[in-house]
Amino acid sequence: MTSAPSDALEATRTRLSRVDGQAGELIIGGFRLEDLAPRATFEEVIFLLWNDRLPTATELADLRDRLAQERVLAPAARDSLRAAVGRGVRSMDALRLAVESQAIEAPTASDDSPAAWLAQAERLVARMPMLAAAYARLRAGLEPIAPPREIGHAAAYLYALRGELADSHAVRALETYFNTVIDHGLNASTFTARVVASTHSDMVAAVAAALAALKGPLHGGAPGPALAMMEEIERRQKESGRSLEGETEAYVRETVAGGGRLMGFGHRVYKVRDPRADVLGRAADGLASDPERAAFLNRAKVIEQVTLRVLEEVKPGRQLRTNVEFYTAMLLQCIGLPPDLFTPTFAVARVAGWTAHILEQRFDGRLIRPLEVYIGAERRAWVPLESRQHAEG
Ligand code: ACO
């Protein structure tokens, strides 16, 4: 039996982000999330992850310019999205197919240099919002639309969706959301991307694989259900005539008694607090100047507070706190994004983190080959076909 290398349990090393569940802390590129996300532009955080430092003004302007130049919808992607919408393909599948179509647009080149991989990273980060927005517009019977070159990434996404400039509060809130979810340790999609990159495959393939992992409801799919839960409580409240507090309390008790879960609460790693929820909660507050948004946020906060109180009572000691998905739902709903664009919007931000991990793994890492624990049978005796009387165990 060969002995395992001492680092067998360590899948990889990264300088990109650190998740500390015990402290309730997330470090991105060396910065505490709370210090970075509300202040930085998304382009600054992208530069930080790709270069391990903040950009100078000139470097930032150059990056903004290069991303703006790449913010186009290539013909193969447009055809792919049109076909997907025509056949009722869901948003995350449409997005992955459109990303993969980049292999047609730019067939894998012989240039395997860091510069060539970085150029691919820029293209994918620039194009992801164009793909998500084009999907949404085609589905609504509208033609895709190109954003003006001079606006930033978050503003460009909203423009590509709506064909008009969004208000500055919505842009700032979306930018804070992008910064908040850009990277989160070795989560499932990031790990997937790193595994593909570790084989020296290519950037497009690694990002497409990450999108496939993100699609699953255990990973990127929770904000839609969190919003659906809020809507269900409000619908029941209208029917019953109870207060929002009373209806929420009844809903939480019934859900838990029935073995169900409250969407947007609890986390595998964060037990004292999810720092992303705090940052997004404050970002959502920035949208409260609009009375309709303010009323929605107030209702969501009532639902949150009652849910936390009742969970503490019916699930004592489980340390169930509000997680990032609850506030994502609140924030993206306030900005006016449709729920089936929540996960693609997550991908618009997370693709920057994926590409940083892909670059790190491709050029600083080695093949990822974790150990498995074999739990199958040992040394069975071979039985010829004609002698088998029953199904072998
Ligand atoms: N609502 C009600 N009870 C819950 C919830 C919840 N949201 N989350 C955990 N619990 C309870 C469980 O029923 C269990 O109770 P028990 O001890 O009586 O059996 C206890 O808390 C521990 O549950 P686990 O499943 O062991 O906790 P785990 O850390 O594995 O789960 C998870 C984390 C999956 C996020 C869970 O809290 C959950 O299902 N939340 C709802 C879905 C959600 O919001 N997902 C998004 C998470 S954020 C992200 O992944 C990006």
Side-chain angles (χ1 to χ4, degrees):
M1 193 174 146
T2 54
S3 65
S6 60
D7 61 353
L9 290 176
E10 177 187 296
T12 195
R13 295 190 169 206
T14 183
R15 56 164 179 76
L16 298 168
S17 64
R18 180 166 67 78
V19 182
D20 185 339
Q22 290 311 317
E25 197 172 69
L26 171 59
I27 302 292
I28 294 184
F31 292 89
R32 286 175 72 238
L33 178 72
E34 294 85 337
D35 295 333
L36 185 73
R39 294 186 177 137
T41 61
F42 187 51
E43 288 89 338
E44 282 178 289
V45 187
I46 298 172
F47 188 100
L48 171 67
L49 289 189
W50 284 347
N51 299 282
D52 200 23
R53 64 177 174 82
L54 290 172
T56 64
T58 314
E59 287 168 333
L60 183 60
D62 286 349
L63 177 61
R64 277 175 63 106
D65 203 42
R66 286 198 303 279
L67 290 175
Q69 275 180 41
E70 285 290 354
R71 218 173 273 131
V72 293
L73 192 60
R78 182 184 293 253
D79 292 348
S80 167
L81 287 170
R82 225 182 264 286
V85 167
R87 287 167 181 264
V89 171
R90 294 222 183 134
S91 57
M92 284 302 286
D93 291 326
L95 196 57
R96 179 174 46 78
L97 290 166
V99 163
E100 284 174 339
S101 77
Q102 197 162 304
I104 298 174
E105 217 59 56
T108 311
S110 51
D111 187 352
D112 208 25
S113 65
W117 278 64
L118 182 60
Q120 283 278 14
E122 287 183 356
R123 191 165 304 137
L124 282 159
V125 168
R127 292 189 181 177
M128 198 65 86
M130 298 305 296
L131 301 178
Y135 171 84
R137 287 182 70 85
L138 287 167
R139 192 187 46 182
L142 300 165
E143 281 304 301
I145 187 161
R149 291 274 292 271
E150 63 281 5
I151 60 179
H153 204 68
Y157 179 43
L158 291 175
Y159 189 98
L161 277 166
R162 300 175 179 156
E164 59 183 30
L165 291 172
D167 72 74
S168 61
H169 298 294
V171 173
R172 182 60 249 178
L174 186 62
E175 194 141 43
T176 301
Y177 168 74
F178 281 176
N179 292 344
T180 299
V181 302
I182 189 170
D183 199 35
H184 200 238
L186 207 56
N187 60 86
S189 57
T190 300
F191 182 58
T192 305
R194 288 194 79 125
V195 170
V196 176
S198 83
T199 70
H200 294 194
S201 178
D202 65 75
M203 177 66 82
V204 172
V207 167
L211 279 167
L214 184 67
K215 174 191 162 185
L218 295 188
H219 187 11
L227 182 64
M229 184 188 83
M230 279 191 253
E231 288 172 349
E232 171 66 3
I233 292 172
E234 292 188 325
R235 189 193 60 74
R236 287 172 38 147
Q237 187 214 349
K238 282 197 191 98
E239 271 175 29
S240 70
R242 276 196 272 220
S243 66
L244 186 57
E245 287 87 345
E247 194 59 59
T248 305
E249 176 154 357
Y251 181 90
V252 175
R253 288 186 190 282
E254 273 172 42
T255 303
V256 174
R261 301 223 164 169
L262 283 306
M263 303 314 285
F265 296 86
H267 197 273
R268 172 64 60 84
V269 179
Y270 294 122
K271 295 302 177 191
V272 288
R273 68 195 265 268
D274 183 339
R276 301 168 301 170
D278 292 352
V279 169
L280 293 185
R282 284 194 286 277
D285 285 341
L287 294 165
S289 52
D290 174 284
E292 218 177 290
R293 288 172 179 168
F296 170 77
L297 288 170
N298 281 338
R299 291 196 303 278
K301 283 179 185 166
V302 169
I303 292 174
E304 179 197 8
Q305 290 313 315
V306 175
T307 302
L308 288 172
R309 175 173 59 74
V310 181
L311 275 177
E312 188 60 46
E313 186 198 317
V314 295
K315 290 277 176 187
R318 290 355 177 263
Q319 297 181 299
L320 301 172
R321 308 279 185 261
T322 318
N323 68 41
V324 66
E325 304 293 1
F326 185 84
Y327 283 98
T328 297
M330 273 167 60
L331 190 133
L332 297 185
Q333 165 80 357
C334 271
I335 292 174
L337 296 187
D340 78 333
L341 270 201
F342 286 3
T343 310
T345 303
F346 186 107
V348 168
R350 185 55 66 83
V351 66
W354 292 334
T355 57
H357 278 272
I358 291 165
L359 292 167
E360 193 179 50
Q361 187 67 44
R362 171 62 183 82
F363 295 104
D364 302 337
R366 58 180 188 152
L367 180 71
I368 295 177
R369 177 45 171 106
L371 297 178
E372 71 287 334
V373 176
Y374 178 67
I375 55 163
E378 297 284 357
R379 297 167 193 251
R380 283 175 166 152
W382 173 255
V383 181
L385 186 57
E386 59 279 12
S387 308
R388 288 177 217 157
Q389 300 301 320
H390 52 78
E392 287 294 320

